[in-house]
Every structure is written in C-alpha cells, then in structure tokens.
Amino acid sequence: MQYPPPPAHYKNAANLEPPPIPTQQHIGVYEYPIHASFQKQMMENETTWKTLFPVGSREENVKALQKLNISLLFNFMELVDILLQDPTANAAKVEEIRQIMSSMHHLINSFRP
C-alpha cells in the first residue's frame, strides 16, 4: 500500500509565522465566548486564595503535595464522619477541603514550564 504525497503547504511549514495576537475583546473557543480579561480575572482570584504552602523548589513542592494529599484524605474522612452524624453541619469541612484542593492546584501548576 502506498501513501499519498503530503500536501503542498507541508514543504513550506518551516517558514510559517505564528498567528497575530487577537485584539478583540471576545474570543470564542469551542463555541463558548472567552473574554480577553479572563486571565486578569484569574490572577485576581488567585491572589485572594489563601495558599497553604508557598511555591518553592521542585522538591519542596513535591513534599508539600504529599502533605496536602494526606491532609485531603484525612479531611475527606472527617467530612464523611460529619455527614453521618449531622448532614447539615458540613460547610466548614467543605471549605477546608476546597482550600486544600486550591493549594494543590496552585502547586501542580507550578510544575508547568
């Protein structure tokens, strides 16, 4: 079986330039509008989060993630216990779990280049 030749523009692929940065305020991704101020909003939200561990070296982040993982499991077990005793008294524990998850998310993002 013989494969067809590559498209004509394939030969010039090395000379392609990146597309221009969009200047419009609304950008669509998968038919959902994304606003240009989205990144600014995310940065503002990130500064309001209380991080449990500051971002450090790679080894420090791995140790912090391990500690947070253990803490997350422990808090989840406590949440299950609270829900068994009184299902309406879960707000504080859910907020603790949310804080741990956001700190883990922040540390995981520190591994990105």
Side-chain angles (χ1 to χ4, degrees):
M1 182 175 154
Q2 193 172 9
Y3 294 106
H9 67 274
Y10 178 76
K11 295 175 184 176
N12 297 327
N15 298 330
L16 293 178
E17 296 196 17
I21 297 173
T23 56
Q24 56 196 11
Q25 291 295 322
H26 301 288
I27 303 168
V29 176
Y30 299 115
E31 300 177 6
Y32 295 105
I34 305 274
H35 301 286
S37 62
F38 180 72
Q39 185 175 8
K40 181 181 176 186
Q41 179 184 2
M42 289 303 295
M43 289 174 62
E44 289 173 1
N45 288 343
E46 193 170 294
T47 57
T48 60
W49 291 341
K50 176 185 160 195
T51 55
L52 300 177
F53 287 92
V55 176
S57 68
R58 186 174 185 92
E59 293 80 20
E60 291 171 351
N61 289 348
V62 169
K63 288 179 183 179
L65 277 170
Q66 290 172 342
K67 290 178 183 178
L68 285 171
N69 193 25
I70 292 169
S71 179
L72 178 64
L73 291 172
F74 178 74
N75 279 299
F76 178 74
M77 294 304 292
E78 283 185 338
L79 176 64
V80 170
D81 189 40
I82 290 171
L83 289 174
L84 288 173
Q85 295 173 6
D86 184 14
T88 60
N90 63 1
K93 190 53 69 177
V94 169
E95 187 57 38
E96 285 181 34
I97 291 173
R98 181 175 291 130
Q99 183 64 47
I100 293 169
M101 293 290 286
S102 66
S103 293
M104 290 177 77
H105 185 263
H106 184 70
L107 285 173
I108 289 170
N109 280 340
S110 70
F111 288 104
R112 292 184 179 178

